[in-house]
Amino acid sequence: MRNLTGATIVALASSCVASSGYLKLDLHRRAPISNKLARRQNSDGSVDAVLSNNQELEYLVNITVGTPAQKLSVTLDTGSSDLWIPASSAPLCKKNQCDFGSFDPSKSSTYQVVEQDGFNITYAAPGDTDAGDWGSDTITIDGSSPIDSQQIGVASALFDQHGVMGVGFDTNEANNDGPGGVYQSVMDNLVSSKIIERKAFSLYLNDRDANSGSIILGGIDTTKYTGDLVALPLQPSDSGAVMEYYVSLTGVSFTDAAGKTTQISPDGYSQATLLDSGTTNTLLTNDVFTPLALGFGTTLDPQGSGNYILPCSVGNGNGTINYSFGGEGGVTIQVPVAAIVGGQAYTSDEYDDPAGGCALSMGTPMESGGFSILGDSFLRSAYAVFDLENQVAALAQADENQASTSNIVVIPTGTAIPSATNTATATGTQLTALESETAIPEASVSGSSLILAGTPTFNLGLSSSTATAGSGSGSSSSGAANYAAVPTAALLGLGVAAGLMGL
Ligand SMILES: *[C@@H]1O[C@H](CO)[C@@H](O)[C@H](O)[C@H]1NC(C)=O
Ligand SMILES: *[C@@H]1O[C@H](CO)[C@@H](O)[C@H](O)[C@H]1NC(C)=O
Ligand SMILES: *[C@@H]1O[C@H](CO)[C@@H](O)[C@H](O)[C@H]1NC(C)=O
Ligand SMILES: *[C@@H]1O[C@H](CO)[C@@H](O)[C@H](O)[C@H]1NC(C)=O
């Protein structure tokens, strides 16, 4: 999640190995809330566009807070920098909706108030604010040795159902302009508590079908990637300072099922793009997003939700989106087409594709308020190392499903990233203005109210039986549901607690 005031990963971590110099957290995916597209329903019954945060996957880590230790799970987030937890006094927790635990400061002998009502973090999704007190207490992260006096947000006014552990730069903490200023973040304290040697970590989300990924604080697992790990200088935020994980995206192309490559990005493309595990989708500038989305047969949801829908069958196709970073001497990460096909939004009775209509796991910076973001739909294909001390991120192609092997090297104090073979230098510029709407057409609807699928123009190698049924046919033997009459809540699998939608 990107914390707006200054700027999020969510699977379940099950075990950890505390060892000298690094801390490995195994991440397991939390089951999707629903296989339908999550949309926010307003009180008047209208539905807002899906925001990119956390709609499908959650990568959680177990922590303890206080003395005696109270257990909670929090979202691990590269896009923000604070550790905050729900207060058990929060109305949402009192209604038993804080499913990953809450914290009662009055039951901890080591808790201290730092600033009453001083904590307030706002993420990119509208209304996504969590607020309360700043406090400090002893914490442990997935069985680590204790970190004393860690500053934490204790939120009693909750939008999100569980807390967040941000692993970004301390200069990007919430409320830095308040009396407390910059405080020692969890990343800072992991080093000062000698749990890790350098303020750096690596991230391996693994593919969507695998149930486990990992984050290694202070270390790199050299078995989890192929090719070279290439170091990329982090790019400055709007403020001119490096305070988030922006890297320079210098080219995007599509290689089809027959191996033919089409350049998608314009010549000279160089875009500062945020590596953000807390965002589900990948948000690309219009000039790259539009030709890619149209190539996959994407249309706009005719229900006016603002969501991009594509034929679910695309997920069975072959081809990769190749993302190049750092220009000359840089690195290219290949993302298979299946990775950009999100949850099913419409069944095959409602949408003219044998597999139904799915959410596209891509979008534009309109969804983030103006930031180009490489979210989970990109990050699952990459192995990423983040070095806060030297302001570098190193990327390599993830070697998926290597969960059982392991060769962890400690990232020592110093500047070099162990096993990185190369350093790229190209810079990337920030977006200067929010771009206007894309040229993605609204899906048409046939007389029987069946939503007609868009037609992919990319060669995905799909045979005609698995390809889209073809827009324009307008008929379906299976008896199209009258989509206009389908109650929205049922269609979208709503009916879960409002707080869940809020993520
Ligand atoms: C957290 O702990 C619970 C109970 O101890 C365990 O079932 C769960 O798998 C753990 N989850 C993570 C994220 O480690
Ligand atoms: C938190 O900050 C936001 C944005 O400034 C504000 O709208 C909201 O009222 C604040 N919430 C609390 C509980 O202080
Ligand atoms: C792009 O991806 C294809 C695989 O789909 C691969 O063969 C090709 O080498 C990649 N291009 C680059 C520049 O890595
Ligand atoms: C995709 O590629 C695999 C491996 O080359 C091949 O077995 C499969 O038939 C291809 N599928 C399509 C839809 O082209």
Side-chain angles (χ1 to χ4, degrees):
M1 288 188 274
R2 193 175 187 283
N3 166 2
L4 285 184
T5 55
T8 296
I9 272 180
V10 204
L12 290 169
S14 67
S15 70
C16 84
V17 183
S19 169
S20 67
Y22 70 87
L23 181 63
K24 176 170 186 275
L25 314 177
D26 288 334
L27 303 171
H28 292 272
R29 285 194 318 135
R30 180 190 185 198
I33 291 162
S34 134
N35 67 352
K36 301 272 182 155
L37 189 57
R39 281 179 257 189
R40 194 183 317 270
Q41 192 173 30
N42 300 322
S43 48
D44 64 1
S46 65
V47 170
D48 283 344
V50 164
L51 284 138
S52 50
N53 294 339
N54 305 350
Q55 48 175 305
E56 206 180 328
L57 299 174
E58 297 221 61
Y59 296 94
L60 295 166
V61 58
N62 280 347
I63 62 169
T64 69
V65 181
T67 313
Q70 300 180 38
K71 291 181 179 176
L72 300 99
S73 300
V74 291
T75 299
L76 189 72
D77 183 18
T78 66
S80 65
S81 306
D82 302 282
L83 169 61
W84 72 264
I85 50 179
S88 37
S89 61
L92 203 61
C93 299
K94 284 187 165 159
K95 284 190 275 175
N96 287 324
Q97 286 175 5
C98 296
D99 51 355
F100 293 114
S102 62
F103 175 65
D104 184 348
S106 71
K107 297 206 172 114
S108 171
S109 64
T110 40
Y111 181 76
Q112 291 191 310
V113 178
V114 171
E115 187 191 356
Q116 208 145 15
D117 297 326
F119 170 70
N120 181 333
I121 194 164
T122 300
Y123 298 103
D128 191 348
T129 287
D130 301 282
D133 297 339
W134 280 117
S136 92
D137 211 333
T138 300
I139 67 161
T140 68
I141 303 165
D142 218 0
S144 74
S145 52
I147 297 173
D148 293 327
S149 305
Q150 174 63 53
Q151 183 162 330
I152 50 177
V154 182
S156 44
L158 289 178
F159 181 87
D160 296 302
Q161 242 177 342
H162 50 260
V164 172
M165 185 170 93
V167 289
F169 286 91
D170 54 15
T171 48
N172 196 37
E173 287 160 356
N175 321 122
N176 267 343
D177 49 350
V182 174
Y183 64 87
Q184 295 291 295
S185 67
V186 169
M187 285 306 297
D188 292 331
N189 283 334
L190 279 164
V191 173
S192 56
S193 304
K194 300 197 171 6
I195 295 170
I196 64 176
E197 294 182 16
R198 195 191 304 177
K199 236 190 295 175
F201 62 91
S202 56
L203 184 67
Y204 171 71
L205 291 186
N206 210 349
D207 74 27
R208 202 163 40 165
D209 299 325
N211 200 30
S212 62
S214 57
I215 184 168
I216 304 174
L217 301 169
I220 297 174
D221 187 341
T222 61
T223 64
K224 297 291 188 290
Y225 58 88
T226 59
D228 293 334
L229 200 51
V230 175
L232 305 165
L234 291 176
Q235 302 299 308
S237 298
D238 295 334
S239 66
V242 171
M243 49 194 285
E244 292 171 85
Y245 301 127
Y246 277 104
V247 290
S248 172
L249 176 63
T250 51
V252 180
S253 63
F254 181 72
T255 300
D256 72 12
K260 179 172 156 265
T261 296
T262 306
Q263 187 64 34
I264 304 289
S265 55
D267 285 345
Y269 191 76
S270 193
Q271 177 64 50
T273 306
L274 187 69
L275 297 167
D276 183 7
S277 64
T279 294
T280 303
N281 288 349
T282 293
L283 309 181
L284 300 170
T285 52
N286 283 354
D287 50 358
V288 175
F289 171 77
T290 305
L292 270 178
L294 290 174
F296 296 121
T298 303
T299 53
L300 265 175
D301 183 358
Q303 289 202 75
S305 67
N307 295 311
Y308 296 111
I309 310 287
L310 81 171
C312 296
S313 297
V314 166
N316 304 323
N318 283 337
T320 63
I321 303 169
N322 291 10
Y323 293 87
S324 298
F325 296 91
E328 200 70 34
V331 59
T332 296
I333 306 296
Q334 300 163 21
V335 177
V337 288
I340 56 115
V341 179
Q344 193 189 44
Y346 294 103
T347 67
S348 56
D349 286 347
E350 298 156 352
Y351 181 98
D352 190 17
D353 178 81
C358 283
L360 178 69
S361 296
M362 299 177 85
T364 70
M366 289 286 284
E367 289 178 37
S368 64
F371 307 99
S372 181
I373 294 181
L374 295 158
D376 296 343
S377 63
F378 165 84
L379 282 170
R380 278 191 285 274
S381 298
Y383 191 83
V385 183
F386 299 85
D387 180 350
L388 290 89
E389 288 181 20
N390 300 296
Q391 306 190 338
V392 161
L395 295 179
Q397 185 76 36
D399 195 354
E400 288 166 15
N401 300 313
Q402 294 296 314
S404 55
T405 64
S406 157
N407 176 38
I408 299 174
V409 295
V410 168
I411 306 174
T413 54
T415 56
I417 295 197
S419 87
T421 54
N422 214 339
T423 302
T425 54
T427 56
T429 50
Q430 289 285 347
L431 287 174
T432 48
L434 202 52
E435 300 176 292
S436 55
E437 282 294 349
T438 64
I440 307 290
E442 187 167 293
S444 47
V445 177
S446 81
S448 62
S449 73
L450 180 73
I451 300 170
L452 301 179
T455 310
T457 53
F458 290 146
N459 170 12
L460 303 172
L462 295 166
S463 68
S464 52
S465 65
T466 53
T468 61
S471 63
S473 72
S475 62
S476 164
S477 53
S478 53
N482 180 351
Y483 95 90
V486 174
T488 305
L491 179 65
L492 301 180
L494 295 177
V496 286
L500 266 182
M501 297 281 91
L503 289 176

